[in-house]
Amino acid sequence: MVDTAAGLLGEPLETTDELRYFKYNSTYETIYLPLIRQLISKDLSEPYSIYVYRYFLYQWGDLCFMAFDNEDGLVGVVVSKLEAHRDVPLRGYIAMLAVREEYRGKGIATKLARMTIDAMIEQNADEIALETEVTNLPAMKLYEQLGFLRSKRLHRYYLNGNAAFRFLLLIKEPAAPGHDFFDDDELAEMKHT
Amino acid sequence: MSEDLDEAAVTNAISSFSIANQQQHGLSEQQPSGVQLSRHIVSRSSSSKDITSSFQQAAGWLQTGELVKDELFTLFDAVAALEIMDAKMDSGYLEPGEPLEDYYDVLQPLLPEELIGIMDSLLCLQVAWQIGYPLSQTVFASVFVENILWPEPRTLKEATFRSRGTVAPNLSLCQQILRVYCLLLIKSCDFIYRRISEETYYEEEDFFTQLYNRPLLTVFPSEQISLLAVKLLETLDTDTSIPQVQREAIISRLKVQYCFLDAVQDTLESILEAGKPLWEKLLDQLQPVQDSHKLGKSIPGTISSKLQRRIASSVPPRPVVELSFPSAIEFMKRLCKNGSLLGEITKCDDLSALVMFVSFFQAQHPQPTTYMRCQLQRLILHKFSYLEEPSLSVTGRHKIYEEVTRLVYPDTQLAIAAEADSIGPVDELTRDKQELTAAMHRFAVIVHKPLWIYVRTLTMNRSRTRRMLCHTAIEWDVVQLELEDLDADIRQYTSERPLQEQVEELWEYPLSSWAYDIKLRQLISIHQLSVELEIIHKEELSTTYWTLQWICSVRHGHLQRIALFVKARANKLNRPTRVELEAIQTTLLTLQYHTDHTIAIAALAEGLAVVSTIPRKRNPTKPLPKLYHTLTVLNLLSQPRRAPYSSDSLRHLLRTRPFQHILQPSLPASNQEKALKASFYEDLVKTARQIPHNPPRQNLPAHLKEGLALLDHVDSMIKTARKAWDQVARTDVSIARAEACETAWRADIKNIQKSTIAAGLVSSTVRKWIENGAGEGELDVQVEMGHDAGLYHVFWIVPKVKRKA
């Protein structure tokens, strides 16, 4: 755990007995980024380089939310993006969501997912997508409870050979038909385990 | 502070590109640009400038973490970036004291039990590769394979074990066996690799084509390698240096690789004529290998992930894929079974039969591997070569038109025109005939490619088949539209008269009717695959089955419409020939088969749409109110899921999005669907109210009466489904076009029949609960639903309802 001076983290968005929730702030990149990387790479066998994190955080830092415990330890984080995708004017994409093992089952992941979804909705998102491994039951349950539907199954999507489900959440009714249902280019986008 | 550090690092990095270094390497003249090269590059057309300080200054303006990228920099580029000094990204990174490579002397003495262990671990690697992992993490992780393949052997003799670059003068018997075992294995990989990569169609997610500059003994004829094996097997027959039990185990392993190579080096003829015995022979050899696995002893160090450093890969070594021996054997057995089945394709005389065969071949669980699916495609193109012809031959036209005849039996003039060789000059007398011929040629052109794409779609991996079917359904929607125009055109040359149905005039639309049916079948498949692939969540099953039932009812209406015209044509035939009579008979039986099949699906789907609302209860200790909730509010009326970010109509929109471009049938919109379900429910309530005299129900509260009426409806659906599936099962196999896959076809029906019976049981169990005084206390109900609860058929998720112990 990195020791950060109290106050350096800025003002929390929300506080509970145990936790404080923050929106990512690039001013504190040097504090946040190592913590985020450490937390996320724990769950990945294929690590992302620092560029991947910066790719998201620099462009869509306002969609990244973090939960800290009372000792300034990072407990959970969500990283997302929001941009045009084919015929969809603004499609959100939840790229990474991680919660420290001992803090799981307390609704922190749901809270973080909701924060990033709310931020995307505020920015006028049309829909939100993400992928999970077909074996990741807790993640699937989390997103399904929020209203996501499985839209596709992607065969051998991850490097470990596992298949993925693509989840989608429509936020708005499309103004006119023309949304492209087929978006397999994302296959290339996020292959990780 | 860290910003300062970063700047220092940049300065250091820049200074390390010193001019001294470049001069030392003689690069100064070739280097097109560089930090301090300006002093050396002087020409009339260009001038150079030292930008070091400007660069440092500019970099100083950036915040740490600030991303400098152009418009074209994608997430993919970001993911592809590597970070130096990270063990998982830097291929040269080593922990302190860690060697760059593991060393294993392949020429160290080898005991028979060690040989057996190595052979079995090689088999696991070989299978893992076929499943879809890269060679680098499977076969190429074996030190023996690497030793044989690198340096690249120029002769077969050189394809042997070397110690520190020198070919071993004499190999022990065990080492000789291992060498030949490896050669057989590598050569079989060569055939599989070439088969898959030569095939015009496979998906990147199915198979890695990277060979890492290690040819798989491609230049050496397989006969030579097989001969080595034969000789070795002869030696082993008489050799007594290895104890008998171990010898037999070794022989059976050699034979597995020998037979496998034999089976994969097939020519088309060999698959079609002799493929089955080859795979059966291999299957026979697998059992003794499985039984003797315990004789083997594993040797550490013979498989190394670090070998990946040698094979021209810039990424750090990834873990070797660990597949258990039983899974590997299981895989090989399945491969044999799939391989033996392939030759059956010769029994497919037409496209209907082919689609049946491919569908059942692909429906096997787990799905046949990429290699087998490539073989399937190869055979399809061999037997149905017209599918891929650049311009359709007469035979092709004939075969395609046969399909139309089988389903819709149009005016015989169309058949004559379809098969007419050329259009020829048009004159007054033959004008109609010529125009008709031209129209029928146009027909063949319109459907030719879509047919091939449809068949090909069925050969892909299941997930992709489902996604591609969403495309093909749209394509066939367009085909149907074009054919409707053509049908209308054709009328003027055939003098078709419409049928009078009450006040309505009905035109036949034979060609587009046929296309419409293909599209409806695709829509049915999409929904069934969605269930199979678990894309449909348990809570959505009811809606999905409802939609499936809806599509089937559309298809049912369509088939009846076709039958109407066929029967009218049959009645009009004046002294029909025997051939005509037979053809009409075939069409009527075919229509009957499809009708039965459609009713069977529709009824079971409707039954399950209602039944699968039952497990909607969330609190198992208080099932009654939830049951009540289910039966009254019903999922049929609305989705009770309270998802914060979604709504019924948005979910409906998302689910129907793949079909929004399809004009016919147009799936009901969310509110239409709700209205349909509401009227269904109203009818049900009405029925419930009409049965107050039924003694067991007399005293029940209204909602339970409604519940029972609902179960009555389920029962009647299940009864219809059972009858229809029985009818389907009784269909002549030639009418079902299932000659090439009869066993699978029959087994499939049987499994669905079991699902139907199970669905009926759910209904009767719930009925008993309600009738036995459910209104008074709590019900001890336990409901399981989903693939993990066990299914008779993957298309049909029947809930399991048990009383709690």
Side-chain angles (χ1 to χ4, degrees):
Chain A
M1 208 161 303
V2 174
D3 190 21
T4 60
L8 247 192
L9 294 172
E11 274 302 303
L13 292 170
E14 248 184 84
T15 310
T16 66
D17 285 348
E18 266 192 310
L19 301 166
R20 286 161 303 145
Y21 289 90
F22 293 90
K23 187 190 270 192
Y24 179 82
N25 182 340
S26 62
T27 316
Y28 309 122
E29 200 214 57
T30 46
I31 299 169
Y32 290 155
L33 193 53
L35 295 174
I36 292 175
R37 284 189 78 177
Q38 195 188 13
L39 182 64
I40 289 173
S41 63
K42 221 181 235 177
D43 293 337
L44 301 171
S45 67
E46 198 67 7
Y48 294 140
S49 71
I50 195 158
Y51 308 107
V52 176
Y53 294 94
R54 283 185 174 154
Y55 179 85
F56 285 106
L57 295 175
Y58 182 70
Q59 299 184 90
W60 299 280
D62 52 350
L63 300 178
C64 167
F65 295 88
M66 302 164 294
F68 282 87
D69 62 16
N70 290 330
E71 280 121 45
D72 287 348
L74 184 66
V75 163
V77 64
V78 63
V79 176
S80 310
K81 67 170 178 153
L82 179 68
E83 59 185 340
H85 176 84
R86 304 215 167 179
D87 293 336
V88 184
L90 273 177
R91 183 196 240 199
Y93 180 78
I94 300 180
M96 313 173 199
L97 173 61
V99 171
R100 223 155 71 193
E101 208 164 350
E102 60 271 32
Y103 280 88
R104 287 179 197 166
K106 297 181 175 193
I108 300 169
T110 303
K111 175 101 197 155
L112 289 166
R114 294 192 67 153
M115 284 178 154
T116 194
I117 293 170
D118 288 337
M120 291 184 205
I121 293 173
E122 219 165 87
Q123 293 180 33
N124 217 15
D126 296 276
E127 62 182 44
I128 299 169
L130 59 99
E131 288 99 30
T132 67
E133 275 189 54
V134 295
T135 48
N136 191 348
L137 297 178
M140 297 201 283
K141 200 172 156 199
L142 185 159
Y143 292 117
E144 271 156 357
Q145 280 175 352
L146 292 174
F148 283 82
L149 292 185
R150 304 171 192 189
S151 75
K152 300 171 183 186
R153 191 187 179 102
L154 306 163
H155 181 64
R156 295 191 68 83
Y157 182 71
Y158 296 102
L159 284 172
N160 65 5
N162 276 351
F165 281 122
R166 161 130 345 109
F167 279 85
L168 268 181
L169 176 71
L170 274 195
I171 302 294
K172 291 189 216 162
E173 298 204 4
H179 272 203
D180 201 332
F181 166 72
F182 309 101
D183 47 1
D184 289 334
D185 58 337
E186 287 205 358
L187 270 176
E189 282 194 352
M190 295 297 293
K191 282 214 171 188
H192 62 80
T193 46
Chain B
M1 199 171 91
S2 66
E3 280 173 36
D4 295 342
L5 268 176
D6 272 10
E7 201 172 310
V10 168
T11 315
N12 283 339
I14 288 172
S15 59
S16 71
F17 283 109
S18 76
I19 197 75
N21 274 344
Q22 283 158 8
Q23 278 171 333
Q24 195 182 341
H25 292 103
L27 288 172
S28 55
E29 293 305 314
Q30 290 85 28
Q31 202 77 1
S33 63
V35 177
Q36 297 187 17
L37 290 184
S38 57
R39 287 177 226 159
H40 299 266
I41 299 176
V42 179
S43 79
R44 278 182 205 154
S45 57
S46 64
S47 66
S48 311
K49 193 177 155 196
D50 186 343
I51 59 161
T52 310
S53 56
S54 341
F55 178 78
Q56 280 174 329
Q57 196 184 2
W61 294 331
L62 294 173
Q63 293 292 315
T64 306
E66 196 167 338
L67 198 68
V68 184
K69 68 174 191 73
D70 64 20
E71 287 295 303
L72 300 173
F73 185 87
T74 63
L75 175 57
F76 184 69
D77 296 314
V79 173
L82 296 174
E83 220 168 312
I84 304 304
M85 294 308 286
D86 183 314
K88 286 178 180 168
M89 284 184 267
D90 182 349
S91 62
Y93 180 85
L94 297 172
E95 294 297 337
E98 185 191 351
L100 188 69
E101 287 185 356
D102 296 325
Y103 180 72
Y104 181 88
D105 182 7
V106 294
L107 290 175
Q108 63 186 267
L110 190 62
L111 297 169
E113 58 266 32
E114 293 173 333
L115 172 63
I116 296 169
I118 293 169
M119 286 168 139
D120 287 354
S121 64
L122 277 163
L123 182 74
C124 293
L125 295 176
Q126 184 184 21
V127 168
W129 171 64
Q130 290 182 68
I131 289 175
Y133 295 96
L135 279 167
S136 59
Q137 287 169 263
T138 56
V139 177
F140 285 176
S142 158
V143 294
F144 301 105
V145 172
E146 169 66 8
N147 193 278
I148 287 176
L149 289 183
W150 199 257
E152 197 181 329
R154 287 162 298 181
T155 60
L156 191 56
K157 225 174 172 178
E158 277 186 14
T160 186
F161 299 132
R162 277 163 281 201
S163 187
R164 305 202 185 275
T166 321
V167 171
N170 289 311
L171 295 180
S172 70
L173 182 58
C174 280
Q175 287 166 338
Q176 283 177 48
I177 298 168
L178 182 56
R179 173 193 169 226
V180 173
Y181 186 88
C182 288
L183 293 180
L184 291 165
L185 184 149
I186 297 166
K187 193 65 195 174
S188 70
C189 291
D190 181 43
F191 279 108
I192 293 175
Y193 172 82
R194 281 189 284 155
R195 166 67 34 240
I196 295 176
S197 40
E198 279 164 19
E199 199 50 55
T200 38
Y201 218 93
Y202 66 90
E203 300 302 330
E204 56 158 17
E205 73 265 24
D206 285 329
F207 191 71
F208 280 87
T209 49
Q210 176 67 270
L211 275 188
Y212 313 94
N213 203 23
R214 293 277 191 281
L216 296 162
L217 305 178
T218 313
V219 294
F220 306 116
S222 62
E223 295 77 20
Q224 288 181 15
I225 295 173
S226 292
L227 195 64
L228 290 177
V230 171
K231 281 188 191 155
L232 205 51
L233 283 166
E234 279 171 10
T235 313
L236 277 169
D237 261 346
T238 52
D239 180 88
T240 49
S241 65
I242 301 172
Q244 196 185 343
V245 184
Q246 289 171 324
R247 192 155 45 108
E248 279 170 9
I250 290 166
I251 290 174
S252 61
R253 277 158 179 77
L254 259 182
K255 281 186 177 168
V256 159
Q257 290 299 344
Y258 177 82
C259 292
F260 188 45
L261 178 56
D262 228 15
V264 296
Q265 63 174 309
D266 47 23
T267 57
L268 274 170
E269 290 68 30
S270 78
I271 314 176
L272 292 172
E273 286 152 25
K276 199 171 172 184
L278 287 178
W279 290 105
E280 282 173 351
K281 208 166 133 199
L282 173 59
L283 185 63
D284 289 344
Q285 293 301 331
L286 286 166
Q287 200 54 48
V289 170
Q290 183 173 17
D291 296 342
S292 56
H293 176 61
K294 54 189 177 303
L295 298 179
K297 191 182 153 200
S298 67
I299 313 185
T302 58
I303 293 173
S304 165
S305 63
K306 288 188 176 181
L307 287 176
Q308 291 170 59
R309 289 214 165 92
R310 291 199 189 175
I311 53 178
S313 172
S314 60
V315 279
R318 293 183 47 79
V320 176
V321 179
E322 282 174 24
L323 190 76
S324 74
F325 184 73
S327 324
I329 289 284
E330 217 31 65
F331 175 94
M332 291 298 285
K333 285 184 177 172
R334 265 199 325 269
L335 200 68
C336 293
K337 281 177 194 147
N338 294 339
S340 331
L341 269 183
L342 270 179
E344 297 293 299
I345 203 170
T346 44
K347 294 184 187 159
C348 297
D349 294 328
D350 55 30
L351 274 175
S352 301
L354 179 68
V355 166
M356 258 322 230
F357 176 79
V358 174
S359 304
F360 280 112
F361 186 79
Q362 289 285 75
Q364 299 178 79
H365 281 273
Q367 198 189 3
T369 57
T370 310
Y371 170 69
M372 279 297 163
R373 287 188 276 120
C374 281
Q375 291 289 43
L376 178 64
Q377 285 193 16
R378 186 171 164 221
L379 289 175
I380 292 172
L381 282 180
H382 173 70
K383 188 134 179 20
F384 295 82
S385 52
Y386 65 86
L387 282 173
E388 216 195 18
E389 279 169 356
S391 69
L392 204 52
S393 62
V394 183
T395 323
R397 268 205 320 273
H398 170 74
K399 295 304 278 180
I400 291 177
Y401 193 71
E402 247 181 25
E403 293 300 309
V404 181
T405 308
R406 178 171 276 275
L407 190 77
V408 300
Y409 195 80
D411 194 314
T412 38
Q413 291 176 67
L414 299 197
I416 296 164
E419 287 163 34
D421 213 350
S422 64
I423 295 163
V426 177
D427 60 51
E428 278 307 316
L429 275 177
T430 57
R431 176 177 294 278
D432 282 3
K433 238 187 216 165
Q434 306 280 25
E435 294 286 358
L436 197 56
T437 304
M440 291 311 291
H441 282 213
R442 204 149 72 240
F443 159 74
V445 170
I446 293 171
V447 301
H448 182 205
K449 202 172 157 215
L451 269 177
W452 171 220
I453 294 173
Y454 174 39
V455 172
R456 201 163 226 193
T457 293
L458 299 177
T459 67
M460 297 173 173
N461 67 60
R462 295 299 257 182
S463 302
R464 205 170 263 275
T465 295
R466 180 189 157 274
R467 299 205 300 279
M468 281 298 291
L469 280 173
C470 297
H471 284 288
T472 60
I474 294 170
E475 186 170 27
W476 279 86
D477 196 54
V478 177
V479 167
Q480 187 192 341
L481 272 184
E482 287 182 52
L483 294 184
E484 277 174 15
D485 288 345
L486 201 60
D487 279 328
D489 262 8
I490 285 172
R491 269 179 219 155
Q492 47 184 314
Y493 317 119
T494 58
S495 28
E496 181 191 345
R497 301 302 320 144
L499 289 184
Q500 287 289 339
E501 273 293 297
Q502 289 155 359
V503 287
E504 215 183 340
E505 279 191 348
L506 286 185
W507 293 91
E508 188 178 4
Y509 288 100
L511 304 175
S512 50
S513 281
W514 168 76
Y516 188 27
D517 193 58
I518 290 184
K519 179 177 57 185
L520 288 168
R521 283 153 78 170
Q522 292 174 354
L523 291 177
I524 291 170
S525 296
I526 293 167
H527 284 82
Q528 295 191 316
L529 281 171
S530 298
V531 174
E532 176 186 324
L533 296 169
E534 296 178 78
I535 288 164
I536 299 302
H537 188 266
K538 285 188 256 200
E539 298 199 349
E540 294 177 276
L541 272 175
S542 178
T543 308
T544 303
Y545 282 136
W546 195 88
T547 311
L548 181 60
Q549 169 277 128
W550 185 88
I551 299 168
C552 285
S553 69
V554 172
R555 185 178 185 220
H556 182 233
H558 182 58
L559 290 168
Q560 281 188 315
R561 186 186 188 279
I562 296 172
L564 195 69
F565 283 95
V566 176
K567 283 175 189 158
R569 174 154 297 121
N571 289 336
K572 268 196 270 174
L573 280 183
N574 193 10
R575 272 186 293 166
T577 62
R578 200 171 57 90
V579 177
E580 279 177 320
L581 275 178
E582 272 176 15
I584 285 232
Q585 185 65 10
T586 304
T587 297
L588 288 172
L589 288 172
T590 303
L591 285 168
Q592 190 55 50
Y593 166 70
H594 286 302
T595 306
D596 291 336
H597 197 248
T598 310
I599 293 175
I601 296 176
L604 182 52
E606 185 166 338
L608 282 177
V610 179
V611 160
S612 52
T613 63
I614 291 166
R616 181 57 46 74
K617 65 186 180 54
R618 286 225 165 79
N619 183 351
T621 58
K622 284 187 184 169
L624 189 59
K626 283 297 176 190
L627 191 64
Y628 163 76
H629 176 80
T630 310
L631 297 178
T632 53
V633 179
L634 269 186
N635 171 12
L636 289 166
L637 285 176
S638 71
Q639 284 267 10
R641 199 197 293 189
R642 286 182 295 272
Y645 292 102
S646 194
S647 67
D648 284 352
S649 70
L650 284 170
R651 275 194 295 266
H652 181 274
L653 217 78
L654 184 58
R655 275 288 169 239
T656 53
R657 191 148 94 174
F659 316 111
Q660 66 175 355
H661 294 293
I662 293 176
L663 294 177
Q664 199 187 0
S666 159
L667 287 180
S670 180
N671 52 358
Q672 288 170 320
E673 192 178 294
K674 271 187 186 164
L676 281 170
K677 288 176 181 174
S679 87
F680 168 83
Y681 178 66
E682 268 168 34
D683 287 349
L684 191 91
V685 173
K686 227 182 273 167
T687 319
R689 286 193 191 126
Q690 282 163 0
I691 47 167
H693 304 302
N694 188 342
R697 300 187 182 181
Q698 226 163 0
N699 303 325
L700 288 177
H703 71 271
L704 289 183
K705 276 187 199 161
E706 286 163 23
L708 287 175
L710 185 75
L711 292 173
D712 289 344
H713 182 72
V714 172
D715 288 347
S716 89
M717 282 299 115
I718 299 299
K719 208 169 142 194
T720 309
R722 285 183 73 162
K723 221 170 112 193
W725 284 114
D726 286 347
Q727 205 61 36
V728 169
R730 275 200 293 273
T731 308
D732 189 280
V733 68
S734 70
I735 292 298
R737 307 307 295 129
E739 288 114 315
C741 50
E742 188 173 349
T743 315
W745 176 65
R746 294 207 181 281
D748 192 72
I749 297 173
K750 193 138 247 145
N751 288 335
I752 301 177
Q753 285 174 319
K754 283 185 197 161
S755 305
T756 314
I757 293 168
L761 281 177
V762 176
S763 164
S764 60
T765 312
V766 177
R767 179 188 301 279
K768 262 185 219 151
W769 292 335
I770 297 178
E771 285 177 350
N772 295 344
E776 289 159 24
E778 287 182 357
L779 288 173
D780 297 327
V781 187
Q782 215 172 13
V783 185
E784 286 173 50
M785 187 156 90
H787 287 256
D788 33 6
L791 297 173
Y792 291 115
H793 195 287
V794 284
F795 289 170
W796 301 106
I797 311 256
V798 181
K800 284 194 174 161
V801 184
K802 283 187 284 191
R803 294 199 85 138
K804 274 191 196 160

